[in-house]
Amino acid sequence: LSLPGCIRARVNREAVVFIPDGGAQEEKASFPQEINIPSIAPEETVILDWEKRKIVLSRKSLPDRPENLENIYNLSIQHLINFAKIKGVLCLRTRKAGDTIRYRGIRRKIRKLQNEYHTPPEKRENMLILADGEEILWVEGWEACDRVRTDAQSADTLWIGIYSPVPEQYRSDTCENDKNG
C-alpha cells in the first residue's frame, strides 16, 4: 500500500507498519515530517518507522513487545493517553512554527517549553508530536495535554511506546563480562 509523501504501509494480522519509500531519502531533510495514522481498533497495534526509531501505538490493555520488532531496539519512552477523547485523525509529526499545547488550563508554546525543559537544540526539531484534528495531544518525553490525560475513569487508552536502536557498542550477542562472571 503506497501513501502520499513516499510512505508505504505493510498490513499483517497483528500490525500496520509504515515504511518510508526509497524516494524518501531526499524528502527526509525537509521538516516537518508528518504521518496520518489510520483508525486504531480496540486490541490493535500500529507500528510506525520514524527515522531510526519504531513507534508503537496500541489499544491493547497490556501491550507486549511486538514480535516483529528486532532485538536491536530498546523501549525508551512509554506513555498512556485517553483514546476516548481523541477527535479526528491522529497525526504523528515534528514541530511546526507556532505549535502550542494545553497544560493545566494554559496554552503554552512548544518552543518555550523546550527551553524550560532544557531540551538539547539538536533534538528540538526531531521531537515527535502526536496531534488530532483539534490540537497537540502529546510531545515526546512530556506528559499528555489536559484533554487526553488519563485518570482512574479512563477505560479506553492508547499506549505509546518508542523503541530506539541500541548503540553499536552494546549490540553484541554475548558480552565479555557475562562470560567471565
Side-chain angles (χ1 to χ4, degrees):
L1 176 63
S2 293
L3 302 169
C6 295
I7 301 291
R8 290 182 301 133
R10 186 178 54 203
V11 181
N12 62 35
R13 279 192 316 209
E14 296 184 10
V16 177
V17 181
F18 291 89
I19 309 161
D21 239 350
Q25 299 294 334
E26 296 168 7
E27 291 185 21
K28 188 176 181 181
S30 63
F31 288 101
Q33 291 180 328
E34 191 169 307
I35 298 175
N36 286 329
I37 301 166
S39 62
I40 304 170
E43 299 300 315
E44 184 181 37
T45 298
V46 173
I47 301 173
L48 306 168
D49 284 335
W50 191 278
E51 295 179 2
K52 294 181 180 180
R53 299 177 286 179
K54 303 271 186 189
I55 291 77
V56 178
L57 303 171
S58 180
R59 287 189 57 198
K60 294 183 178 182
S61 53
L62 292 172
D64 296 323
R65 179 183 173 94
E67 289 180 20
N68 56 350
L69 195 63
E70 300 91 18
N71 286 330
I72 63 168
Y73 289 94
N74 279 340
L75 179 63
S76 58
I77 292 176
Q78 58 182 338
H79 202 84
L80 280 175
I81 63 173
N82 190 340
F83 190 82
K85 295 185 178 181
I86 293 173
K87 298 177 182 173
V89 176
L90 282 174
C91 175
L92 189 67
R93 63 179 177 82
T94 55
R95 187 183 77 183
K96 294 179 183 177
D99 273 346
T100 61
I101 189 167
R102 183 177 297 275
Y103 282 142
R104 295 169 193 81
I106 300 170
R107 189 157 295 283
R108 309 276 314 270
K109 286 195 177 257
I110 299 289
R111 195 175 119 255
K112 288 189 177 187
L113 285 170
Q114 287 175 327
N115 288 335
E116 285 180 27
Y117 293 152
H118 304 291
T119 305
E122 64 274 6
K123 292 186 178 184
R124 293 179 184 192
E125 295 298 320
N126 296 322
M127 288 179 71
L128 296 175
I129 293 175
L130 185 66
D132 67 2
E134 288 188 2
E135 66 182 321
I136 292 175
L137 306 175
W138 173 81
V139 177
E140 179 181 359
W142 302 353
E143 58 186 280
C145 79
D146 291 346
R147 181 167 51 98
V148 295
R149 194 166 293 134
T150 56
D151 54 22
Q153 290 81 30
S154 301
D156 189 9
T157 58
L158 177 67
W159 182 82
I160 304 165
I162 299 178
Y163 291 86
S164 296
V166 175
E168 287 292 327
Q169 66 265 31
Y170 300 113
R171 279 201 192 173
S172 66
D173 292 332
T174 57
C175 184
E176 290 299 321
N177 294 336
D178 291 342
K179 291 179 185 177
N180 297 330

